[in-house]
Amino acid sequence: MKPVYTKTPLSLPAQVQHLQDKGLHVPDPARAQLVLRRVGLYRFKGFLLPYKTPSGYVPGTAFADVERLMTLDDALRLHVLKAMQTVEVGVRQAIVQFMLEQHGLRWYADPARFHRPTEFFDHTEFLRKVTEEFDRMPELFVGHYRERYDLDAPPPIWMIAETMTLGGWSKLFAALESQADRDGIAALLGVRASTFTSWLHALTVVRNVCAHQSRLYDRVFATMGIADNKRVRRQLLAHSFDARDTDARRLAPRLYALHRLTQALDPGGSWTTELKGVVAAYTPEEVPRLGFRVGWETQVEWGAAVTAEVLPGE
């Protein structure tokens, strides 16, 4: 039987003393208490993980080092969320418009458009949930629709779309029965359907991490597809991504997915250029913990000229 967690909570002065006892240099304990009051010891110690040793922390590690990493992480998280806004709306619109043109305004309500139920997607449950969400929405257009139209028929997809999250679109896309539909939607965004499926799942996790103000620095995710063009994949692994991240479990491959999707949705945008500035604030020793190699920003794969993944495999 596993033991029950029984560690005694620490007061703020005791938290600072705890960090000092582990070898952290804290020249201003009063300021350290203010920071810990604001962010919490548990969150703070997450940024100390790279400095941890069996006996404490790497000699010379200072409280200010961790504060700096938290500040950089805040800037990175906000920049990722900026891309997520573009991607979430753009992905939704790509799926809605393609399927609308191919299958009409209530395609989402037709179970024949989707695979049989799995642990990840059950069309009956999906339809129940989005309909209930639509009914609860306080938007004027919902009231207008309910007043004027037959409620026995499902609402048009562009209304239902307003209730769905990126995670919902990720599951819905993967559950589409027609390979031709998946291929057509993904092509609008410059990738193959298999890569797009992987990216949507991976980015949903990143979005949720950011939405909960969790740490991006030194985080390890599940594996994901990097790129469906073999040449691009080789170049990224050889020149952009940290050599130890062979399974694409760090943040960098997810930032590449955001780069590609923002380029497809907003070709004149500056998100990737701004990303390079955000990452430049990290030291060469810290960059690999984001999953990058030093010098990644100079690689052609991160430029505006690379606009389509749907190329021959070599």
Side-chain angles (χ1 to χ4, degrees), residues 140-260:
L140 289 176
F141 72 83
V142 175
H144 176 75
Y145 181 83
R146 293 175 65 84
E147 289 175 3
R148 295 196 58 181
Y149 297 101
D150 181 1
L151 299 181
D152 290 333
I157 180 57
W158 55 80
M159 293 185 179
I160 288 295
E162 296 297 322
T163 73
M164 292 178 59
T165 64
L166 184 62
W169 289 112
S170 173
K171 293 176 181 179
L172 180 144
F173 178 82
L176 288 174
E177 176 68 25
S178 168
Q179 183 65 50
D181 287 340
R182 294 197 301 275
D183 288 343
I185 293 164
L188 295 174
L189 298 165
V191 295
R192 292 194 177 103
S194 58
T195 303
F196 190 50
T197 300
S198 177
W199 284 5
L200 283 180
H201 177 72
L203 292 179
T204 296
V205 175
V206 173
R207 180 198 180 280
N208 292 340
V209 167
C210 291
H212 290 91
Q213 314 303 318
S214 297
R215 172 175 50 86
L216 290 174
Y217 180 72
D218 203 34
R219 179 176 287 274
V220 177
F221 300 89
T223 190
M224 66 173 284
I226 295 176
D228 53 16
N229 178 270
K230 293 180 181 179
R231 179 191 59 78
V232 172
R233 186 179 188 278
R234 284 198 301 267
Q235 289 296 105
L236 289 167
L237 290 172
H239 303 293
S240 288
F241 299 155
D242 180 47
R244 293 164 294 182
D245 190 22
T246 55
D247 293 324
R249 300 188 65 191
R250 292 287 184 171
L251 182 64
R254 288 140 184 86
L255 295 177
Y256 177 72
L258 286 176
H259 158 65
R260 293 304 302 271

Side-chain angles (χ1 to χ4, degrees), residues 25-292:
H25 179 52
V26 187
D28 188 345
R31 171 171 171 71
Q33 287 187 45
L34 291 175
V35 172
L36 294 176
R37 184 188 298 278
R38 174 169 55 84
V39 304
L41 179 63
Y42 190 76
R43 177 183 179 85
F44 185 87
K45 289 176 72 174
F47 289 90
L48 269 169
L49 289 175
Y51 302 102
K52 194 171 183 179
T53 70
S55 59
Y57 299 116
V58 174
T61 305
F63 193 92
D65 296 327
V66 184
E67 271 198 279
R68 174 180 161 276
L69 281 176
M70 288 194 299
T71 299
L72 292 177
D73 206 61
D74 288 343
L76 180 59
R77 186 168 55 253
L78 289 173
H79 195 59
V80 168
L81 283 171
K82 181 180 178 181
M84 286 295 178
Q85 178 176 325
T86 299
V87 168
E88 189 160 356
V89 174
V91 164
R92 176 175 74 192
Q93 180 58 21
I95 296 173
V96 166
Q97 191 64 33
F98 181 90
M99 294 296 288
L100 182 69
E101 293 177 5
Q102 297 295 318
H103 306 296
L105 65 124
R106 293 184 175 86
W107 60 266
Y108 72 94
D110 182 359
R113 301 287 170 207
F114 301 92
H115 291 308
R116 284 179 292 182
T118 68
E119 62 179 306
F120 302 108
F121 187 89
D122 182 322
H123 181 262
T124 301
E125 178 62 19
F126 158 75
L127 191 59
R128 181 194 64 79
K129 184 176 180 180
V130 296
T131 302
E132 289 180 354
E133 289 290 337
F134 177 80
D135 289 340
R136 288 198 296 264
M137 285 183 71
E139 304 288 347
L140 289 176
F141 72 83
V142 175
H144 176 75
Y145 181 83
R146 293 175 65 84
E147 289 175 3
R148 295 196 58 181
Y149 297 101
D150 181 1
L151 299 181
D152 290 333
I157 180 57
W158 55 80
M159 293 185 179
I160 288 295
E162 296 297 322
T163 73
M164 292 178 59
T165 64
L166 184 62
W169 289 112
S170 173
K171 293 176 181 179
L172 180 144
F173 178 82
L176 288 174
E177 176 68 25
S178 168
Q179 183 65 50
D181 287 340
R182 294 197 301 275
D183 288 343
I185 293 164
L188 295 174
L189 298 165
V191 295
R192 292 194 177 103
S194 58
T195 303
F196 190 50
T197 300
S198 177
W199 284 5
L200 283 180
H201 177 72
L203 292 179
T204 296
V205 175
V206 173
R207 180 198 180 280
N208 292 340
V209 167
C210 291
H212 290 91
Q213 314 303 318
S214 297
R215 172 175 50 86
L216 290 174
Y217 180 72
D218 203 34
R219 179 176 287 274
V220 177
F221 300 89
T223 190
M224 66 173 284
I226 295 176
D228 53 16
N229 178 270
K230 293 180 181 179
R231 179 191 59 78
V232 172
R233 186 179 188 278
R234 284 198 301 267
Q235 289 296 105
L236 289 167
L237 290 172
H239 303 293
S240 288
F241 299 155
D242 180 47
R244 293 164 294 182
D245 190 22
T246 55
D247 293 324
R249 300 188 65 191
R250 292 287 184 171
L251 182 64
R254 288 140 184 86
L255 295 177
Y256 177 72
L258 286 176
H259 158 65
R260 293 304 302 271
L261 292 175
T262 54
Q263 282 289 310
L265 292 164
D266 183 19
S270 59
W271 185 84
T272 301
T273 299
E274 293 166 1
L275 171 68
K276 294 175 182 179
V278 172
V279 177
Y282 289 87
T283 69
E285 293 73 28
E286 293 163 350
V287 164
R289 293 189 179 274
L290 296 174
F292 285 116

